[in-house]
Amino acid sequence: MSIDRRSFLKNSLVAGLGLAATSCMPIARLESTDDYHYTLTLEEASFELIPGTQTPGKGFNGQFPAPIIKGKQGRPITITVINKLQEPTTIHWHGIRIDIAMDGVPFLTQKPIMPGETFVYHFTPPDAGTFWYHPHVNSLMQLGKGLAGLLIVEEAENPQFTPDDFAADLPLILKNWHLNDDGSFSELSIPRYAARMGTPGNYETINGLHKPVFDVPANSWIRLRFANIDNTLVYKLRIKNQPAFVVSIDGNPIAEPKPLKDHPLGAGMRVDIALLTPDAGQEIVVENGKGRLFFSYMRLRTIESDKQQSKASLATIPRLPLNPIPEPDLENAETLKFVFEWEGAVTPVSHNGKTHHKFWTINRRAWEGMSANNIPEPLARLELGKTYVFDLKNNTPHGHPIHLHGFMFKVIKSNKKRIDPFYADTVLMEKNERVKIAFVADNPGRWMYHCHVIEHMKTGLMGYIEVS
């Protein structure tokens, strides 16, 4: 089952359209005839983002975009990770319900992978969908300089759905880089912004390209997999004048496809959109909202293809099979409250004069870091198998995408907007919003629980829960 990049693209991602749509999205090479087995290296890398310049970043297998890792629901995946950086690292498989030993958090779940060392991750994804992977060591720098990639888990065999139900399947990773005009990095974090919404980048890319145009088959249903791998930004996506539906959130299909009006996507979040394309020779504009205004973000160009669907219509929208997530028992659930607050501008200083900014707290505790011999107390201890409702209150004037490792939770209520309950691993909380989420604590371990704005996480808005 050895697969090279060209044949994978032809048979899976763009379904015979050629390489235009995903030419900048390399595919990890399978190394086994029976299992999904890959090797990833983390290394210094130079890549072209601003045309005609080179950016001195960090890349998986020395490149950006990173290789797409492809798995299948219910099938084991083995990923050998080799650290060629000059600093420790780990890999977190964001959104995968995973054994705690494979979750990739330094000291809490594994020893850091030191320079020159190798670590083998092995897990079986129970869910199909769009996920991603990134380091959980020095995240501001490692993730900010390019160490992030997609993990796509295909659906198990199902008589009601096959990947061929979409004429094309486009992975789209969204990142806003902090770059100078010559391609070098500007400051990734500025304290006054870290204490607000985070330090924004200044150069937007999709799959490493600025305002790209991708070819797609005409008169067909296509799948757009948007993943926000940015350190900071919230994207607000919409597609004008063309039928488009949300079919999956954070890798979790929804029972009834929801018409796309606009969809906010905080750091770490994903959304899959089913789009019905028009006749050949037309362009579809995907927009990103900033405040109340929307701007062109990328375009899709429709072309004739042998994969286009002659009978595609609103009546034939593909429906993804639901993932096997346990339903929370709300009648017998225990409620735990978590308040996210701004701590203030008092900056702790070490004996050598180095500052350690702490701007954010969870239940009045700022994350103090950890080491091999110093693991802080958990934010909460949960009983294995029991249902919990987390009552989340954002007492700040800024948004926070709150992410929980090891689980998919059900978003059930908000004081700011109407919620049609859905499953996710990250919930984007607006300023002063109160949200309730629920899940079955069926995965034992110590699970990180944090804001995915990396500067917020690094300056206090992080902790963990313990399930035992």
Side-chain angles (χ1 to χ4, degrees), residues 144-437:
K145 289 194 172 184
L147 286 169
L150 280 190
L151 194 167
I152 293 176
V153 181
E154 287 193 340
E155 291 77 12
E157 300 300 327
N158 190 299
Q160 278 75 49
F161 174 81
T162 72
D164 290 340
D165 289 347
F166 291 103
D169 189 334
L170 274 65
L172 300 162
I173 58 172
L174 317 181
K175 184 170 175 61
N176 200 16
W177 301 81
H178 300 69
L179 298 180
N180 299 311
D181 290 343
D182 63 359
S184 62
F185 280 102
S186 58
E187 289 292 325
L188 296 181
S189 179
I190 298 171
R192 70 177 179 273
Y193 293 127
R196 299 171 185 170
M197 193 54 232
T199 306
N202 64 324
Y203 191 75
E204 293 180 339
T205 64
I206 301 176
N207 297 356
L209 300 173
H210 183 63
K211 293 189 175 181
V213 180
F214 297 143
D215 288 344
V216 296
N219 298 315
S220 302
W221 284 106
I222 65 171
R223 183 175 187 170
L224 307 177
R225 299 178 186 259
F226 291 98
N228 182 355
I229 67 167
D230 198 74
N231 279 18
T232 303
L233 286 191
V234 176
Y235 295 89
K236 189 162 63 172
L237 303 172
R238 79 174 184 184
I239 301 173
K240 293 185 65 177
N241 305 321
Q242 201 62 35
F245 297 83
V246 175
V247 293
S248 180
I249 297 173
D250 280 2
N252 289 289
I254 57 178
E256 188 64 32
K258 181 179 179 181
L260 175 67
K261 181 181 179 184
D262 58 65
H263 189 89
L265 209 62
M269 299 169 69
R270 293 88 62 213
V271 64
D272 287 18
I273 304 297
L275 171 68
L276 183 59
T277 61
D279 294 339
Q282 300 190 40
E283 284 194 343
I284 304 162
V285 178
V286 178
E287 296 182 320
N288 178 32
K290 299 178 181 180
R292 295 183 178 180
L293 301 178
F294 282 82
F295 303 88
S296 175
Y297 188 41
M298 75 174 208
R299 288 176 293 150
L300 303 172
R301 182 172 52 204
T302 56
I303 65 172
E304 296 288 350
S305 165
D306 59 1
K307 292 292 184 179
Q308 69 188 59
Q309 302 164 327
S310 59
K311 296 183 180 180
S313 70
L314 290 176
T316 62
I317 179 172
R319 282 170 165 75
L320 304 176
L322 301 183
N323 285 330
I325 301 170
E327 182 69 24
D329 178 8
L330 296 180
E331 290 187 1
N332 297 296
E334 179 179 347
T335 297
L336 301 176
K337 294 185 177 183
F338 297 92
V339 179
F340 307 98
E341 293 182 292
W342 187 67
E343 186 176 54
V346 177
T347 301
V349 180
S350 66
H351 66 279
N352 62 2
K354 185 176 181 180
T355 58
H356 299 276
H357 294 288
K358 291 185 178 179
F359 300 124
W360 308 95
T361 64
I362 304 177
N363 288 354
R364 299 189 176 182
R365 284 179 57 190
W367 178 246
E368 57 266 36
M370 61 185 169
S371 62
N373 300 315
N374 179 30
I375 305 296
E377 286 294 302
L379 290 168
R381 289 186 168 88
L382 279 56
E383 180 182 338
L384 184 65
K386 187 174 178 179
T387 292
Y388 290 86
V389 172
F390 281 13
D391 186 341
L392 313 179
K393 182 68 169 70
N394 179 11
N395 280 348
T396 83
H398 303 286
H400 298 288
I402 302 300
H403 173 52
L404 177 62
H405 291 207
F407 299 93
M408 286 294 177
F409 51 75
K410 193 172 191 176
V411 182
I412 55 177
K413 189 175 183 181
S414 167
N415 69 334
K416 288 275 191 175
K417 50 187 174 285
R418 180 180 175 272
I419 295 289
D420 293 323
F422 63 93
Y423 285 99
D425 56 63
T426 307
V427 60
L428 180 60
M429 300 187 69
E430 299 177 11
K431 64 180 182 180
N432 301 316
E433 184 177 12
R434 186 176 183 179
V435 172
K436 291 187 178 183
I437 65 174

Side-chain angles (χ1 to χ4, degrees), residues 42-110:
L42 295 87
E43 53 193 282
E44 304 297 326
S46 181
F47 28 78
E48 184 174 320
L49 297 169
I50 299 175
T53 71
Q54 289 294 308
T55 294
K58 302 176 188 292
F60 284 108
N61 293 1
Q63 57 200 33
F64 187 89
I68 296 174
I69 293 178
K70 180 185 174 185
K72 195 172 186 68
Q73 186 178 22
R75 291 278 301 276
I77 299 177
T78 300
I79 303 160
T80 300
V81 172
I82 304 169
N83 183 11
K84 295 184 178 180
L85 303 174
Q86 300 303 308
E87 61 180 334
T89 194
T90 61
I91 306 299
H92 169 58
W93 313 98
H94 184 118
I96 301 290
R97 294 189 290 146
I98 205 166
D99 182 90
I100 187 64
M102 299 290 106
D103 194 50
V105 177
F107 307 116
L108 198 67
T109 72
Q110 71 172 90

